[in-house]
Amino acid sequence: MTTEIPSAGLRALYAERDWAATPLGDPAGWSPDLRSALDLVLSTRFACILLWGEEFACLYNDAYVELIGDKHPAALGVPAVEVFPEAWHDIGPLMEGVRGGGPSFRIDEAHVPLHRHGFLEDCWFVYSYSPVTGPGGVEGVLDIVVEITPHVLTERRLGTLTRLTTALVGVESRDELRRVARKLLAGTPDLPDADVRLLGDASEEGPGEGGLPDVPPADAPAAEGGTVVAEVDGERVAWLSLGTENDDAVLVCRLTPRLAYDAEYRDYLQLLATVVTEGLTRIELLASERARHEQERHLSLALQRSLLTPPAAVPGTEVAARYVPATETAQIGGDWFDAFPHDDHSLVLTVGDIAGHDSEAAVTMAQARNIVRGVAFAVEDSPGRVLEVLDRALERLGVAAVATAVVAHVDQAPSQVGTGRWTVRWSRAGHPPPVVLHPDGSTSLLDTGGELLLGVDPSVPRADHVLLLEPGSALVLYTDGLVERRGETLDVGTDRLRAALTGRQHLGADALCDLLVDGLDVREDDVAVLVLRV
């Protein structure tokens, strides 16, 4: 589908503009060079602006209108210094340099704050300046620009989520969690101030230095997506309830005035709250186990399960999971599973295995699982890309461990609604292949791909594969402990798994999980199983 260029609206603005009141003057007197350069600008689909003459009068196309917000249409024909006074100290000398005979150039990831939506907004661009020449030399500057603000914010927020996840894994008390979280979050570009308020504690820590209130004002708007945002003393503040056992903790954040509070900002706050909630839940479980003085095996199992929250489902799907520790050891392991909604009609499923059976394996498992959650929201519809980012994140965190994992994105396209069919995009890194139980009771093995383990070479690309699930199908993800036995090949164990599933198409997800784990005898390794039925 093509769109008319320039749009009727922009053509009308050009036709109606009183050009005689601008530095460009009556169009009847415009030079052929100006007309030719303007035709080029208006015909391109890239955001483009022509800065003409000594005053750099602004002439731009439809794509550029989206970048300058409410500066349009007043900016048309106006000198650039009047359109962009907030950025002129940065861009003005660069324009002057090109118009004065300097070479063309490009700037990547330029931070150029703009006043375009009623406030000074942090924005990032890739842009280039090129001279437009005529008989008298350089007459104007051509600026081609691409906004990369969403990319920069996603990368920045992913980094904060990764650091917070890593830092909270080892905390052992609520006060320590509060100190660590506040140190990492308060003062970041997205959050001038942040604090975890432990409302039921006689905490060693007092109120935050910025005086963040524990609760929203009485006239605050209703919660949106679990988040309340209200203005306090002229600044936006957000409150997110942390889902602890006693519901007595709140993440309070002062929002930056230099970004719009949009869906992406809200999602970022909710991901932060999820990470903190998991840290508090982990601490509560640890405290409970210490109080009861249970044996080491019981403590290890509780720790493992505190990191493996119950899987979620979306309408039209049924999800169940099991974790079973090894019989021959009481140590905590590195197996994990996770299932969480990506949106109202799609799920992300993941199963993985960190090498080792000790606290370090558990720490790495928690890091990997939470990083996958954060990355899956930032990277759309590519499980292979999720694994690539996870591999690089583990390397940059200095995690000296190898791991296997499989990630699947389960989605029902609009054309599939009502048919019961679902599309699965999946990728695996050295992990045992998933098994599909078909509606007729037969099974198949998703043994394409496989690729290198995580933690070996983070530069290895990861491929995506696509599968159509018919109504009544089940997808089984598992760790190697389900199929490996001492003295047997992996193929023997995989065939045993498929035989156990064959003809069981009438069972639900929970029953299939029970079938698989109850059939185990001596468990030489931890086992994680995740079953999806559609």
Side-chain angles (χ1 to χ4, degrees), residues 61 73 100 123 152 166 207 246 268 272 279 308 350 379 395 398 439 452 480 524:
N61 63 3
C123 313
V152 171
T166 303
N246 300 318
Y268 171 59
L272 291 174
L308 301 177
T350 177
V379 178
E395 180 195 42
L452 195 63
D480 55 9
E524 300 169 358

Side-chain angles (χ1 to χ4, degrees), residues 160 181-195 254 256:
T160 301
R182 192 164 65 190
K183 180 178 179 180
L184 278 171
L185 296 179
T188 57
D190 291 286
L191 303 174
D193 197 5
D195 195 7
R254 179 172 289 112
T256 176

Side-chain angles (χ1 to χ4, degrees), residues 421-466:
R421 295 185 178 92
W422 292 73
T423 299
V424 179
R425 290 176 178 82
W426 57 277
S427 184
R428 63 190 181 101
H431 199 79
V435 177
V436 179
L437 174 58
H438 298 284
D440 63 359
S442 64
T443 64
S444 59
L445 200 62
L446 303 183
D447 56 359
T448 55
E451 297 162 349
L452 195 63
L453 282 71
L454 300 169
V456 178
D457 182 1
S459 67
V460 169
R462 308 286 179 177
D464 286 336
H465 308 280
V466 180

Side-chain angles (χ1 to χ4, degrees), residues 121-441:
E121 179 181 356
D122 281 331
C123 313
W124 287 264
F125 303 93
V126 175
Y127 69 93
S128 67
Y129 285 168
S130 302
V132 180
T133 59
V138 178
E139 297 189 35
V141 175
L142 180 65
D143 175 14
I144 300 175
V145 58
V146 175
E147 180 165 8
I148 58 170
T149 302
H151 167 76
V152 171
L153 293 179
T154 296
E155 290 291 319
R156 184 171 83 186
R157 290 165 177 173
L158 176 59
T160 301
L161 281 164
T162 300
R163 289 188 292 274
L164 180 64
T165 298
T166 303
L168 294 188
V169 167
V171 300
E172 296 187 359
S173 71
R174 287 160 63 97
D175 278 336
E176 183 187 2
L177 180 142
R178 182 187 181 192
R179 288 193 299 269
V180 170
R182 192 164 65 190
K183 180 178 179 180
L184 278 171
L185 296 179
T188 57
D190 291 286
L191 303 174
D193 197 5
D195 195 7
V196 177
R197 291 298 168 83
L198 307 173
L199 305 180
D201 288 8
S203 174
E204 298 173 6
E205 300 287 325
E209 293 181 4
L212 291 172
D214 290 341
V215 296
D219 59 351
E224 182 180 3
T227 306
V228 176
V229 176
E231 194 165 292
V232 177
D233 297 330
E235 296 182 302
R236 290 173 302 175
V237 179
W239 293 262
L240 296 95
S241 178
L242 304 176
T244 58
E245 182 178 355
N246 300 318
D247 197 24
D248 62 350
V250 179
L251 176 62
V252 188
C253 302
R254 179 172 289 112
L255 308 185
T256 176
R258 295 177 62 122
L259 290 174
Y261 179 66
D262 54 16
E264 287 73 23
Y265 206 157
R266 185 179 67 247
D267 289 347
Y268 171 59
L269 295 177
Q270 290 172 350
L271 284 169
L272 291 174
T274 298
V275 172
V276 176
T277 296
E278 291 189 352
L280 287 170
T281 302
R282 194 160 50 245
I283 290 167
E284 289 172 356
L285 289 170
L286 277 168
S288 175
E289 291 301 312
R290 290 192 185 108
R292 291 192 295 266
H293 297 288
E294 291 189 352
Q295 296 178 355
E296 177 65 22
R297 174 176 172 78
H298 295 156
L299 176 58
S300 297
L301 183 56
L303 281 168
Q304 183 87 13
R305 287 178 173 167
S306 77
L307 300 173
L308 301 177
T309 53
V314 295
T317 69
E318 180 185 359
V319 182
R322 298 289 186 274
Y323 168 76
V324 183
T327 302
E328 298 178 354
T329 176
Q331 292 179 319
I332 191 168
D335 290 22
W336 88 83
F337 62 79
D338 202 5
F340 53 94
H342 191 267
D343 54 36
D344 292 339
H345 56 82
S346 66
L347 277 172
V348 176
L349 310 177
T350 177
V351 169
D353 186 3
I354 302 295
H357 292 87
D358 52 24
S359 59
E360 288 186 9
V363 168
T364 304
M365 178 268 284
Q367 290 174 317
R369 180 175 177 274
N370 288 326
I371 290 171
V372 167
R373 280 202 166 205
V375 174
F377 281 100
V379 178
E380 294 286 343
D381 298 334
S382 178
R385 178 68 176 144
V386 172
L387 287 173
E388 290 173 5
V389 176
L390 172 61
D391 208 358
R392 290 201 303 272
L394 292 175
E395 180 195 42
R396 292 174 184 173
L397 291 170
V399 176
V402 295
T404 69
V406 58
V407 177
H409 183 272
V410 184
D411 180 68
Q412 192 168 53
S415 62
Q416 295 173 320
V417 174
T419 69
R421 295 185 178 92
W422 292 73
T423 299
V424 179
R425 290 176 178 82
W426 57 277
S427 184
R428 63 190 181 101
H431 199 79
V435 177
V436 179
L437 174 58
H438 298 284
D440 63 359

